[in-house]
Amino acid sequence: MTPEAIRTISQVRHEFYKLFAAEISEPVNITKGNSYSSNTAKVSWIDRYQRPNYACLYAHIAPDRLLPDRPLILRLGVNQGLNFEPTKRHQELHLNRQKLLRFELTLLPDEILKFVPWLISLLQTHEKGSGLITPPCLLNFDTLDELLLYGAWTQKAEVAFCQSMPQKPLVASQF
């Protein structure tokens, strides 16, 4: 990853976690993380059912020395993305309650802060059993079930990713 991409991720992550902590109605813990250890930066909180939750923001793809023109595309993992699983005790305590929201959202750095209020609302409406709310940017899913099963991409992130893929030249056998 280029130094500029590292700085951008760090700055966007800091702003996202700070804004998220200010807007969620639960006490949060922000772990700064270290790229040289398994301690990944994340924001975590305990929900009203006493279940541990977390969100982490990291690079899905980023420019580097070999591909300096590759776009910086981020991924927001909500209770997913760090290979973190709640302890068995927490799983047993909450078998009869609503499932924990677990999904990944792929987006561009300039889109992430727009998603803080949406994410807070999504967490709150999910706890109440309400439906999906309108996201601040176009996403490639229609239902909450699709979001939970497949994750989602913003339209701009999907376009940036597709444009970054190398195009194979057509060969005579393809005509």
Side-chain angles (χ1 to χ4, degrees):
M1 216 178 318
T2 64
E4 181 61 30
I6 293 169
R7 277 191 297 277
T8 300
I9 293 168
S10 178
Q11 179 184 13
V12 169
R13 181 186 288 140
H14 173 75
E15 288 298 314
F16 176 83
Y17 292 172
K18 185 172 80 171
L19 189 55
F20 183 87
E23 290 195 26
I24 195 166
S25 59
E26 308 291 339
V28 301
N29 181 35
I30 298 175
T31 306
K32 291 194 180 216
N34 184 333
S35 60
Y36 301 107
S37 73
S38 61
N39 183 21
T40 304
K42 69 179 182 257
V43 58
S44 57
W45 67 99
I46 304 294
D47 66 18
R48 68 182 188 150
Y49 298 117
Q50 299 305 303
R51 298 177 301 188
N53 289 262
Y54 71 93
C56 57
L57 184 64
Y58 53 95
H60 175 61
I61 64 169
D64 59 25
R65 284 189 345 190
L66 295 175
L67 298 167
D69 295 329
R70 183 166 47 189
L72 175 58
I73 299 177
L74 303 177
R75 184 159 279 166
L76 174 64
V78 177
N79 295 315
Q80 187 169 326
L82 294 176
N83 296 325
F84 170 80
E85 290 294 327
T87 63
K88 187 171 183 156
R89 187 176 131 261
H90 275 115
Q91 290 173 344
E92 289 170 359
L93 283 173
H94 305 292
L95 285 177
N96 295 327
R97 296 207 180 125
Q98 196 165 22
K99 282 185 146 184
L100 203 59
L101 270 182
R102 297 180 66 148
F103 65 91
E104 290 179 318
L105 178 63
T106 306
L107 58 162
L108 297 179
D110 65 343
E111 297 175 312
I112 187 67
L113 297 181
K114 298 172 191 172
F115 276 89
V116 172
W118 178 82
L119 178 58
I120 300 290
S121 294
L122 182 62
L123 292 166
Q124 292 168 346
T125 58
H126 179 70
E127 280 188 7
K128 296 174 187 172
S130 303
L132 191 60
I133 58 168
T134 305
C137 300
L138 289 176
L139 296 175
N140 65 344
F141 72 93
D142 295 318
T143 67
L144 182 58
D145 287 340
E146 288 177 339
L147 173 63
L148 299 178
L149 282 172
Y150 309 114
W153 287 63
T154 64
Q155 186 177 39
K156 285 173 56 178
E158 199 167 21
V159 167
F161 182 77
C162 290
Q163 289 176 345
S164 73
M165 299 303 291
Q167 301 296 318
K168 291 183 181 180
L170 291 176
V171 292
S173 64
Q174 288 178 316
F175 294 109

